[in-house]
Amino acid sequence: NRLEAYLQGANVLSEAWRHDEAEALLEEAVGRFPDVAEPLARLAWMAMRMTRLDDAGIRFAQVRERFPDAVDGWQGGALVHRYEFRFTEAEALLEDAMRRLPGHPQFVLDHAMLPVAPHFAEQKDWPETLRRLARLRERHPEFEAGFIASVRALNDARQHDEAEALAGSASQRLTSSYALAVQHAEAAEVRSDWPAAIARYTLVCERFADLPGGEIGLARALAGEGRFAEAEAMLVETLGRFPDHSEPIAQYAGLATRQQNWEEALRRWTLAVERFPLEKTFAHRAYEARMRLADADPVMAASMSQLVAAPMPDAANTDEQVRALVMQFESLGGRGLGCEFGIFQRDCGAEPLGLLRWADMPYDMLVATLRNRFEGVGTEEHTELFVSAVSGGRGEYCTRDRRGMMFMRVFVYEDETSFEKMKISAFRRLKFLTRKLIADLEEGTKIFVFRVTDRNLTSDEIDALQNAMAAYGDNTLLYVRYEDEGHPNGTVERIRPGLMIGYMDRFKMSRTDQLYAAPPTGSWLTVCRNAYVIWREAAG
């Protein structure tokens, strides 16, 4: 009869990726404690975490119906609509919440940020968001998060002078706020006013000596002014003072990245991964450092690849289990958001090196490329480097094969290196990754994943793809298609040696090229787990 035991028990089960048991325990709590909102709200948030948006929407609606004064029902329901790109419904729900629960400024903040929620930059309405944030500050003048969001929005809208003024007045108004003091210093950093940033971060260090933000920011500002030795010394000292904080080691690794010392950057990001394995962005940054090192020195990159290798799948830590599991798979790209599986791996903290991990790869081109052993990939004759504004308007280098395949991001921005240097590096990277993929196919120790979003492949097409792979050696194809009546979501079948077929309810992109807001992470994880069990049993 103790509610806390159910809630904490479900939390532990969820953290252990035992979601079915966690949901069963919460459902029991809902029945045992019918007058308390929290068990039902936790059920809704669990569905949200697993990106089961339909279930989450239904459960949040039940929370609102049974417990209209519970914040979760309104906030979670609006978030579901936002993830589904149903902004009109999200707006209506938040406006209803503001009327019913006027004492909760978080609703006002969520409502203010809706106009800039669309994915594409041209659809974002920054003036309307700034107007709403101004009303939020007027109604709730002591709400710290409102000022923080406002300064960030002004900077994102490129109104840096206004952001500077607001950050200064807010930090003076809420003098005990560590976050606003840091943000006031960041406002100078955004404008590259390094003397002002150094002075402000120094003041943060003096006022909040028991927190690392001032020292980290000061090191960044020193580096911005070109005083790298001083920045390095400060971060080494900060690492010693705050060993349990992940941000100092991130800045320490970032300093090597900033100086484009890729070998040292990889070593530092690897150290960050080892010390904070649950910080998934660290594995991401280690991956990027490896790619940049491969651009400059493929031999060195290959020799250091084991520094961020995954543990065995029977590791005790469950997050490490998930990361290790998905490292056993390699993407062969796909038609319609071919990077989907690579993004799923990133969500799980796994960062394997793969030629086609980020590639849009049509079926016919994949078969042809496998048959000719990737002839011409990475050569100037067949490869085009270009700049695309894929990240909030900042120009990023991308490549594509002129034969109609392998469009992919390079994860290097136009302002970081010249076009000619990037061209040499990109071609070198593609050749390095090609050699690695061929070696992996010949070795046969991974499960290779392929899917298309606009249709299911025919049996003859699947056979042709597997036969093209079999020319390299004894490897395994996992072809993933849409579920059907006899094969519900998560089902995996071993058709014959070297071929498994998995079934999913949906992909990130629909058959008609509609982009879903939430990725089907839970479905991918179920397919991978089932496929790995079958593959391991088949291997004896």
Side-chain angles (χ1 to χ4, degrees), residues 150-152 154-155 159-172 180 183-193 196-197 200:
S150 297
V151 174
R152 289 176 179 168
L154 285 166
N155 276 320
Q159 298 184 28
H160 301 307
D161 291 340
E162 291 85 348
E164 161 78 18
L166 181 59
S169 62
S171 62
Q172 291 176 4
L180 284 173
Q183 194 169 55
H184 185 220
E186 286 177 352
E189 188 179 352
V190 167
R191 294 182 295 107
S192 298
D193 185 350
R200 292 176 190 177

Side-chain angles (χ1 to χ4, degrees), residues 140-397:
H140 302 278
E142 304 302 317
F143 185 47
E144 179 189 62
F147 287 99
I148 293 172
S150 297
V151 174
R152 289 176 179 168
L154 285 166
N155 276 320
D156 288 340
R158 295 185 172 86
Q159 298 184 28
H160 301 307
D161 291 340
E162 291 85 348
E164 161 78 18
L166 181 59
S169 62
S171 62
Q172 291 176 4
R173 181 186 187 92
L174 302 176
T175 56
S176 63
S177 172
Y178 164 71
L180 284 173
V182 170
Q183 194 169 55
H184 185 220
E186 286 177 352
E189 188 179 352
V190 167
R191 294 182 295 107
S192 298
D193 185 350
W194 302 120
I198 289 170
R200 292 176 190 177
Y201 278 123
T202 300
L203 186 60
V204 175
C205 292
E206 295 170 357
R207 292 178 56 201
F208 302 96
D210 56 339
L211 294 169
E215 296 178 20
I216 290 169
L218 180 55
R220 261 198 328 265
L222 289 168
E225 205 170 48
R227 296 157 63 180
F228 291 106
E230 295 174 68
E232 183 108 0
M234 170 154 285
L235 286 171
V236 169
E237 182 180 344
T238 305
L239 282 168
R241 292 185 60 225
F242 299 96
D244 298 327
H245 288 253
S246 61
E247 195 173 355
I249 198 168
Q251 293 298 327
Y252 181 62
L255 191 62
T257 299
R258 190 169 186 167
Q259 297 175 84
Q260 299 190 7
N261 183 347
W262 302 118
E263 182 179 350
E264 183 61 23
L266 177 54
R267 293 187 192 281
R268 293 183 184 184
W269 284 117
T270 300
L271 178 62
V273 171
E274 292 170 351
R275 289 181 58 177
F276 298 95
L278 303 187
E279 292 283 353
K280 296 175 183 178
T281 57
F282 290 177
H284 173 190
R285 299 303 299 275
Y287 168 84
E288 290 183 344
R290 271 192 291 171
M291 287 293 92
R292 298 301 296 274
L293 182 59
D295 295 345
D297 190 341
V299 175
M300 177 63 72
S303 69
M304 296 181 68
S305 63
Q306 293 301 309
L307 291 174
V308 288
M312 293 302 293
D314 55 358
N317 183 284
T318 55
D319 289 279
E320 287 297 301
Q321 282 182 327
V322 171
R323 175 175 175 261
L325 171 71
V326 300
M327 283 289 288
Q328 310 304 312
F329 296 78
E330 178 155 348
S331 175
L332 294 176
R335 161 68 179 86
L337 207 68
C339 59
E340 177 175 347
F341 191 78
I343 293 172
F344 159 70
Q345 289 177 308
R346 175 159 291 174
D347 287 343
C348 296
E351 295 288 353
L353 291 173
L355 173 68
L356 303 179
R357 184 180 170 196
W358 308 111
D360 194 83
M361 193 72 177
Y363 162 79
D364 55 341
M365 297 306 301
L366 175 61
V367 173
T369 303
L370 284 165
R371 286 173 175 167
N372 67 25
R373 295 185 68 85
F374 299 88
E375 181 181 353
V377 172
T379 63
E380 187 163 5
E381 177 186 0
H382 294 298
T383 308
E384 178 185 4
L385 178 72
F386 61 99
V387 176
S388 177
V390 296
S391 299
R394 188 182 181 194
E396 182 181 354
Y397 291 112

